[in-house]
Amino acid sequence: MVNLLPDPIEAEGWVCPAPLRDSPTIVMGHGGGGALSAELVEHLFLPAFGAAAAGAGLGDAAVVPVGGVRLAVSTDSYVVRPLFFPGGSIGELAVNGTVNDLAMAGARPLVLSTAFILAEGTALTELARVAEAMGRAAAAAGVRLVTGDTKVVDAGSGDGVFVNTTGLGVVDDGVDIRPEHARPDDVVIVSGDIGVHGVAVLSCREGLEFGTAVRSDTAPLHGLVAAMLATGADVHTLRDPTRGGVAATLNEIARAAGVGIEVTERALPIPAEVRDACGLLGLDPLYVANEGKLVAFVAPEHADRVLAAMRAHEHGRGAAVVGRCVAEHPGMVVARTGLGGTRVIDMPLGEQLPRIC
C-alpha cells in the first residue's frame, strides 16, 4: 500500500522569525534597539550594575560635569554586514555614529577611541580599507582618534571586523537636550529622507535590485546641530533614528517624556525608492534604520527658525515638519493616515533588519 501521508514534522527544529520575549538566551532582537533591547537594559544590566549605575540616563550620550566642564561621553559598537555597502562602510559608521550620539546631547565632539575585534583569517586589505575609511571620516568630522585596542578571535568565533568607538565632547553652558524634555505642543522635525541606510545595506546584503541606486546616508550631524542651536531656539530633544528607525525613536521619547506624539504620514520624507523597496519586501519605512538623520522636538514658536537653519545646512536640506507632541495618549505614538484615519506606531519588538549598523 502506498503511503500518501507526509513525513512526520520535526517541530523541534523550527525557528521562530520573531524574537521570543521569554527566551532564556540572547536572540537577535535583543540588539535591535526595540522593546527587547530596552528590557535587557532595564531588567538585566541596570539591576546587575546596582549602585554603580545609579542615576544613569538612557539617552544616546551621558553628560558628566568634570572640573567645571560638562563632558559628553558615548560608546557604540558596529557589527554591520557586509562591511562595505553603497555609500559607506563599517568605518564611516563607527566614526559618524558615535559623533552623532554626542551631537544628540548638544555636544561638540572632540576625540574618539577605537577598538577592533578581528576574526582570524580576515584579509588585511579589508581591514586597511576599514581603517582608512575611519581616518577619512574622522578628518571630515573634525575629531581625533586618540587611543584604541585590537583583539583577534579564532576563525568561526567572529565575523570579519567588529568595531567599537567611544567619544568625548563638550556641552556648552545653557544647552540641556534630553529625551524627557519633550513637551506637549512641541513640533517634531525630521532632517531629511528616512529609511535610506537600511535599504542600502539590505540591497547589498541580499543581492537585491530596486531599479535605482540606494546609498547609505551616513554622515556626521554635529554641524547641523550647531546650526540649529545657533538660532537661539528652544530645542528640547534630539535623537538620531538608527536601529528601529523613526518608530523606535519616537516611542522612546514619548515614554521618556510622558507625552503623546501625533505624526502625519503624508509629511514623512520617504524617497520613492525606499517606499518601493519596503513595499516589495513587506517592511515599514518607519522602522528602517538611518545613519545620517535626526529627529528634533522644538518649541512651536521657534520651529520655523530651526527649520530654516536646517534647510540651509547640507545635512538638513530635506528637513520637514512631520508631527507634534500632545498631552493625550501619553507614551503612545499615533500616525494620521492619508485616508484620514489613525494607526498606532508601536515600539518594535526586535528589528526588521538585523546587523544594520
Side-chain angles (χ1 to χ4, degrees):
M1 184 175 68
V2 178
N3 182 9
L4 299 179
L5 295 176
D7 294 333
I9 296 174
E10 299 292 340
E12 293 79 4
W14 291 4
V15 177
C16 179
L20 302 177
R21 296 179 77 118
D22 59 352
S23 171
T25 60
I26 292 293
V27 297
M28 289 300 294
H30 282 119
L36 282 174
S37 294
E39 290 176 4
L40 193 64
V41 172
E42 294 172 14
H43 301 305
L44 191 150
F45 288 124
L46 289 180
F49 293 161
L58 298 179
D60 288 334
V63 177
V64 184
V66 179
V69 177
R70 291 194 298 155
L71 292 179
V73 58
S74 183
T75 190
D76 210 340
S77 299
Y78 300 87
V79 297
V80 66
R81 179 174 58 87
L83 296 177
F84 307 96
F85 44 83
S89 72
I90 193 173
E92 284 93 353
L93 291 188
V95 172
N96 294 337
T98 298
V99 163
N100 292 345
D101 285 345
L102 294 171
M104 296 308 107
R108 290 181 287 111
L110 299 177
V111 297
L112 299 180
S113 72
T114 62
F116 298 85
I117 299 177
L118 310 173
E120 182 183 24
T122 299
L124 290 176
T125 53
E126 283 200 348
L127 179 58
R129 287 178 63 192
V130 171
E132 290 166 359
M134 293 180 71
R136 290 192 300 267
V143 297
R144 295 172 56 221
L145 307 178
V146 295
T147 189
D149 181 53
T150 302
K151 295 291 189 298
V152 177
V153 296
D154 53 296
S157 296
D159 187 6
V161 179
F162 296 157
V163 184
N164 172 273
T165 51
T166 297
L168 286 177
V170 175
V171 182
D172 292 334
D173 292 339
V175 176
D176 189 11
I177 298 173
R178 307 183 202 178
E180 58 267 29
H181 284 181
R183 61 192 65 167
D185 296 326
D186 274 359
V187 173
V188 183
I189 303 174
V190 173
S191 64
D193 291 346
I194 64 172
V196 177
H197 172 73
V199 169
V201 173
L202 180 65
S203 67
C204 186
R205 179 187 298 172
E206 306 299 343
L208 300 173
E209 295 293 339
F210 300 127
T212 58
V214 182
R215 297 175 62 83
S216 171
D217 59 352
T218 178
L221 299 177
H222 57 302
L224 175 61
V225 172
M228 296 165 65
L229 297 179
T231 66
D234 193 3
V235 178
H236 296 153
T237 301
L238 294 171
R239 292 296 293 269
D240 57 333
T242 53
R243 295 174 303 165
V246 170
T249 293
L250 294 180
N251 273 279
E252 289 171 358
I253 294 169
R255 295 175 187 185
V259 298
I261 298 175
E262 292 185 353
V263 174
T264 302
E265 278 194 337
R266 284 183 172 175
L268 291 165
I270 304 172
E273 56 268 30
V274 170
R275 192 182 298 277
D276 292 346
C278 288
L280 176 68
L281 300 171
L283 305 176
D284 187 335
L286 281 171
Y287 294 86
V288 177
N290 310 270
E291 285 293 339
K293 300 298 184 296
L294 63 78
V295 178
F297 286 66
V298 182
E301 63 271 21
H302 298 157
D304 289 342
R305 190 193 316 173
V306 171
L307 192 62
M310 294 175 73
R311 288 174 173 171
H313 192 277
E314 62 175 324
H315 296 314
R317 292 193 179 116
V321 173
V322 299
R324 64 190 182 98
C325 281
V326 297
E328 295 78 24
H329 53 80
M332 182 180 294
V333 182
V334 174
R336 297 193 176 277
T337 69
L339 298 177
T342 60
R343 70 180 179 100
V344 174
I345 300 174
D346 205 358
M347 172 71 86
L349 182 60
E351 189 173 23
Q352 292 185 127
L353 307 173
R355 293 188 61 181
I356 213 73
C357 61

